[in-house]
């Protein structure tokens, strides 16, 4: 398998972590865990974006110097990884020396290749977006994102983006899976087909940023600065083994609000520096809360710390990935969360493990032989095609379908256990009834094993508990492992509940 390098966007420090940040991190962590357990080399990068005008304004409001402000503000984002059960390989800050070195090298390379020229920018600028906008983009004094804009005129350096229209269109057509989902791919092509204007890539009225090489009266535009983190974390400008191994297989997970920067500006910057664009962009939607857009003024901004305290890490991970089809917008509702917790986790999955394992425990807690083979053809068929189905859903970046398919197995297990009526078969003296009982229980154990195995990327701690109840107590178990198998005569521990029904969410 090819290596798999995946990144979140680097999170901007003008506010605290919220539900959207948690979702992006959980999504990226889940995809990473899946491919790692499938035997693929993986590298997961996240970090923080610490330059720009909004940082200066936030620091001033806090009565701090920008560097002192970001040294405090990055910590909650760093801590969020552990809070939501994410395990990135690296965390990069744009105020680090390695990042500054890479950003400067990228600028110099683009400049040496003739794609930067000096001029004067006169136009609309949105501080909230850290973005310049054309006159045609402005409606009622606001950018397409809804951010207020102001007219600015200042000397700056321009990137000759207009020259990359055809290069970008050729690249998109040669790489039809570059942007997922397809709707965002088509949207990007539409933007580029309308024509591109040269892009202002420096600010002369701002001091908080990376100075432009050779002209310290300017700092780099925050987007050329920030986007370069993805290569800088791999050691750029040195094209060492780390860079050469990971960069050709790069995937960026981003929200739809920063599609233009990643789908147009970033590939163009890289082409201008003789670096291939990333392999893919995964574009997700936005979360609303109880049907409303998250807003500080409304008071409905949800923090990862509070959500985990209320619901637990694994239930939160499950809900966010199951509730929002990738690419669409999603709504966070406490009532919906409570229902999913009760129905999906406590009743369907948790009760299935408890019923089967408690029954086996009453019969001595050991795995019996299975002379008769599968009893349920539906379960047998589901298990035979499980890997190909789940691999397909992760390849197409659809964790909601991945979980839907796993819960089809949960439903099959509950229906089969009810139909098997093992409590009746256990009382029978007929040999055929006992053979059917043993065969049914072994098949149920095999199903529970598959459920635990493939839930590891989504709910790491809950899956670890499931595997422990099946007799495995060790590190995450690879999907195609030779480490552990359910074997005849093995003794199983006494089961315990996977999910407490009296949690706040339930």
């Amino acid at each position: 398998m090819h290596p798999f390098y995946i990144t979140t966007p680097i999170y901007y420090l003008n506010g605290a972590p919220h539900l959207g940040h948690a979702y992006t991190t959980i999504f990226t962590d889940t995809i990473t865990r899946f491919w790692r357990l499938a035997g693929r080399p993986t590298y997961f990068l996240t970090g923080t974006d610490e330059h720009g005008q909004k940082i200066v304004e936030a620091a001033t409001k806090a009565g701090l110097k920008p560097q002192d402000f970001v040294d405090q503000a990055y910590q909650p984002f760093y801590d969020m990884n552990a809070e939501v059960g994410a395990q990135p390989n690296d965390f990069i800050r744009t105020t680090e020396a390695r990042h500054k070195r890479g950003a400067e090298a990228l600028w110099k390379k683009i400049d040496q290749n003739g794609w930067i020229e000096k001029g004067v920018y006169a136009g609309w600028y949105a501080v909230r977006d850290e973005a310049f906008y054309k006159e045609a983009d402005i409606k009622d004094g606001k950018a397409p994102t809804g951010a207020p804009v102001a007219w600015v005129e200042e000397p700056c350096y321009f990137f000759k983006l207009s020259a990359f229209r055809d290069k970008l269109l050729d690249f998109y057509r040669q790489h039809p899976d570059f942007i997922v989902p397809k709707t965002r791919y088509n949207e990007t092509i539409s933007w580029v087909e309308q024509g591109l204007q040269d892009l202002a890539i420096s600010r002369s009225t701002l001091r908080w940023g990376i100075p432009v090489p050779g002209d310290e009266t300017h700092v780099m535009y925050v987007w050329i600065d920030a986007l370069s983190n993805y290569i800088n974390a791999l050691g750029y400008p040195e094209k060492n083994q780390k860079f050469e191994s990971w960069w050709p297989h790069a995937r960026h997970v981003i929200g739809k609000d920063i599609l233009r920067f990643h789908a147009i500006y970033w590939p163009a910057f890289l082409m201008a520096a003789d670096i291939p664009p990333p392999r893919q962009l995964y574009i997700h939607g936005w979360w609303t809360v109880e049907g409303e857009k998250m807003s500080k003024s409304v008071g409905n901004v949800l923090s990862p710390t509070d959500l985990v305290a209320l619901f637990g890490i694994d239930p939160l991970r499950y809900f966010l990935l199951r509730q929002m089809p990738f690419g669409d917008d999603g709504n966070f509702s406490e009532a919906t969360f409570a229902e999913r917790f009760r129905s999906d986790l406590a009743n369907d999955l948790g009760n299935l493990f408890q019923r089967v394992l408690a029954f086996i425990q009453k019969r001595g807690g050991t795995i019996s032989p299975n002379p008769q083979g599968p009893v349920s053809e539906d379960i047998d068929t589901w298990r035979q095609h499980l890997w190909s189905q789940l691999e397909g859903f992760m390849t197409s970046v659809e964790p909601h379908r991945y979980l839907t398919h796993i819960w089809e197995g949960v439903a099959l297990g509950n229906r089969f256990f009810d139909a098997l009526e093992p409590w009746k078969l256990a009382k029978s003296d007929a040999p055929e009834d006992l053979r059917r009982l043993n065969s049914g229980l072994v098949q149920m154990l095999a199903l529970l094993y598959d459920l635990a195995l493939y839930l590891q990327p989504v709910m790491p701690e809950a899956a670890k508990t499931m595997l422990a109840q099946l007799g495995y107590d060790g590190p995450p178990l690879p999907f195609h492992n030779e480490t552990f198998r359910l074997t005849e005569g093995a003794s199983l521990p006494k089961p315990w509940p996977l999910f407490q029904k009296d949690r706040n969410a339930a």
Side-chain angles (χ1 to χ4, degrees):
M1 285 185 172
H2 290 301
F4 191 82
Y5 173 45
I6 191 167
T7 72
T8 69
I10 49 174
Y11 301 124
Y12 206 56
L13 294 186
N14 65 321
H18 57 62
L19 174 64
H21 300 120
Y23 170 76
T24 306
T25 299
I26 289 168
F27 176 91
T28 308
D29 181 70
T30 298
I31 300 295
T32 304
R33 286 175 184 266
F34 175 86
W35 289 116
R36 184 184 301 141
L37 291 171
R40 195 170 185 176
T42 61
Y43 198 85
F44 168 16
L45 173 71
T46 188
T48 45
D49 182 1
E50 303 185 3
H51 291 132
Q53 190 171 340
K54 285 189 291 185
I55 297 296
V56 174
E57 292 178 356
T60 301
K61 186 176 180 180
L64 296 170
K65 294 179 180 179
Q67 186 64 59
D68 293 336
F69 174 80
V70 298
D71 284 344
Q72 293 179 15
Y74 95 93
Q75 193 67 47
F77 287 89
Y78 184 88
D79 294 342
M80 177 182 67
N81 293 301
E83 287 178 346
V84 300
Q87 296 180 336
N89 297 90
D90 194 4
F91 187 101
I92 190 168
R93 299 176 59 192
T94 58
T95 51
E96 292 178 23
R98 60 171 173 162
H99 174 77
K100 293 178 181 178
R101 183 172 60 250
E104 290 168 354
L106 181 66
W107 180 288
K108 289 177 181 178
K109 183 65 174 177
I110 295 172
D111 191 23
Q112 289 169 5
N113 286 348
W115 297 112
I116 295 176
E117 63 182 4
K118 196 171 185 180
V120 175
Y121 177 79
W124 298 104
Y125 184 75
V127 174
R128 193 181 82 187
D129 299 339
E130 298 281 8
F132 300 98
Y133 289 102
K134 297 181 292 185
E135 183 72 39
D137 294 329
I138 308 304
K139 292 184 180 179
D140 300 324
K142 293 184 178 180
T145 60
V149 295
W151 184 266
V152 298
E153 295 186 19
E154 62 180 272
C156 68
Y157 287 89
F158 284 87
F159 173 69
K160 298 176 183 178
L161 182 64
S162 59
F164 285 82
R165 177 186 181 276
D166 293 341
K167 294 181 179 69
L168 287 168
L169 290 173
D170 288 344
F171 174 77
Y172 301 146
R173 287 161 184 154
Q174 291 166 14
H175 301 85
D177 64 342
F178 174 58
I179 302 172
V180 180
K182 199 71 173 180
T183 52
R184 301 302 175 193
Y185 172 85
N186 294 333
E187 183 179 6
T188 301
I189 287 179
S190 177
W191 284 338
V192 176
E193 284 179 337
Q194 293 172 31
L196 299 172
Q197 292 184 341
D198 291 347
L199 179 67
I201 56 170
S202 74
R203 300 295 307 276
S204 58
T205 58
L206 180 68
R207 297 272 62 84
W208 182 242
I210 298 175
V212 167
D215 186 353
E216 293 196 355
T217 64
H218 291 248
V219 297
M220 293 182 196
Y221 173 47
V222 69
W223 278 104
I224 193 169
D225 163 3
L227 289 165
S228 68
N229 90 89
Y230 302 128
I231 55 176
N232 299 339
L234 300 179
Y236 183 82
E238 286 79 24
K239 299 208 177 162
N240 52 25
Q241 183 178 1
K242 185 177 183 181
F243 183 90
E244 297 292 350
S245 297
W246 294 110
W247 182 248
H249 311 287
R251 274 87 173 168
H252 301 325
V253 178
I254 62 169
K256 63 182 181 180
D257 53 321
I258 52 176
L259 172 61
R260 187 188 300 259
F261 305 102
H262 283 78
I264 300 175
Y265 300 171
W266 183 223
F269 293 156
L270 291 167
M271 290 175 182
D274 302 321
I275 302 170
R279 175 67 183 81
Q280 282 185 302
L281 305 179
Y282 300 153
I283 319 300
H284 65 71
W286 288 340
W287 282 92
T288 57
V289 177
E290 306 294 349
E292 291 190 76
K293 183 178 178 180
M294 279 192 291
S295 167
K296 292 179 182 177
S297 60
V298 175
N300 65 347
V301 178
L302 300 178
S303 80
T305 303
D306 292 342
L307 290 170
V308 169
L310 280 171
F311 306 126
I313 295 175
D314 282 350
L316 178 64
R317 289 172 66 102
Y318 171 78
F319 177 82
L320 295 182
L321 294 172
R322 180 78 189 268
Q323 187 67 16
M324 184 163 83
F326 187 73
D328 294 347
D329 291 339
N331 180 55
F332 188 96
S333 159
E334 285 202 30
T336 306
F337 190 106
E339 178 56 30
R340 280 217 179 271
F341 184 94
R342 280 193 297 265
S343 177
D344 296 3
L345 298 180
N347 292 342
D348 292 347
L349 178 64
N351 198 37
L352 177 63
F353 266 78
Q354 185 70 20
R355 294 167 73 201
V356 174
L357 297 178
F359 185 85
I360 291 173
Q361 195 65 217
K362 288 180 181 178
R363 292 178 55 78
T366 58
I367 299 174
S368 302
N370 184 24
Q372 191 173 316
V375 174
S376 168
E377 292 185 5
D378 290 339
I379 291 177
D380 190 41
T381 299
W382 182 86
R383 293 188 64 233
Q384 285 179 10
H385 299 287
L386 182 59
W387 166 249
S388 62
Q389 290 283 341
L390 297 184
E391 182 188 33
F393 294 140
M394 282 301 187
T395 299
S396 59
V397 207
E398 297 176 292
H400 64 289
R401 294 186 67 192
Y402 180 98
L403 287 169
T404 298
H405 190 73
I406 287 179
W407 252 256
E408 289 173 5
V410 173
L412 287 173
N414 276 309
R415 287 198 296 270
F416 173 65
F417 198 71
D418 288 340
L420 183 66
E421 296 184 312
W423 48 89
K424 291 184 179 179
L425 296 176
K427 296 176 181 178
S428 174
D429 295 327
E432 60 272 19
D433 286 343
L434 294 179
R435 284 196 298 269
R436 177 174 171 80
L437 174 62
N438 285 341
S439 296
L441 292 177
V442 169
Q443 190 177 28
M444 287 302 303
L445 284 173
L447 173 65
L448 297 186
Y449 172 79
D450 283 345
L451 295 175
L453 192 68
Y454 289 108
L455 281 171
Q456 289 180 107
V458 179
M459 298 191 292
E461 290 304 312
K464 183 177 181 179
T465 300
M466 295 176 213
L467 287 169
Q469 295 191 20
L470 295 173
Y472 175 77
D473 185 15
L477 197 58
F479 296 146
H480 310 296
N481 77 89
E482 300 299 329
T483 306
F484 175 75
R485 289 283 188 273
L486 294 168
T487 55
E488 178 184 336
S491 180
L492 299 179
K494 183 178 179 181
W496 59 96
L498 293 176
F499 304 99
Q500 298 294 335
K501 293 185 181 182
D502 60 350
R503 289 192 64 91
N504 293 341

